[in-house]
Amino acid sequence: QVQLVESGGGLVQAGGSLRLSCVASGFSLGYYAIAWVRQAPGKEREGVSCIGASAGDLYYPDSVKGRFTVSRDDAENTVYLQMNSLKPEDSATYYCTADADIYCLDYRGNYGDFHVWGQGTQVTVSS
């Protein structure tokens, strides 16, 4: 069974940090691009990072650049999202999603067409 499972969310004060994990099962992440996507109630889905299978293929939007860092451990079939200097506006449900044959730096979609999704983990940042 192809599956992604996120963990690491929680409640943190503004300025704090969280590290999210996304563990894949049923397939090897090594050939996939992995995106972290967040959605808050009443807001549009926003991709906050994308890491491709090729070295150097990394994308961050301006809203998180310099604060969020994505990394992957293909041996552990896991992708991480380190989130520092968190702000209340970072509060959302965070999902990891995977798709093959994607080069993150060229991708212009909103990740809705990615094929494998996790169940999400809630991040709440208090002011």
Side-chain angles (χ1 to χ4, degrees), residues 3-23:
Q3 195 173 11
L4 293 172
V5 178
E6 304 96 332
S7 62
L11 173 64
V12 65
Q13 289 188 331
S17 298
L18 283 173
R19 188 195 197 201
L20 306 184
S21 299
C22 172
V23 180

Side-chain angles (χ1 to χ4, degrees), residues 65-110:
K65 198 173 291 183
R67 300 189 299 122
F68 289 12
T69 303
V70 64
S71 60
R72 63 192 298 158
D73 184 341
D74 290 341
E76 296 294 328
N77 232 20
T78 301
V79 173
Y80 302 98
L81 184 67
Q82 178 68 43
M83 305 187 295
N84 298 328
S85 303
L86 283 162
K87 305 174 182 180
E89 52 263 43
D90 294 319
S91 297
T93 301
Y94 283 70
Y95 301 87
C96 64
T97 182
D99 210 337
D101 300 322
I102 296 290
Y103 192 70
C104 292
L105 290 172
D106 289 341
Y107 182 75
R108 293 294 178 267
N110 69 351

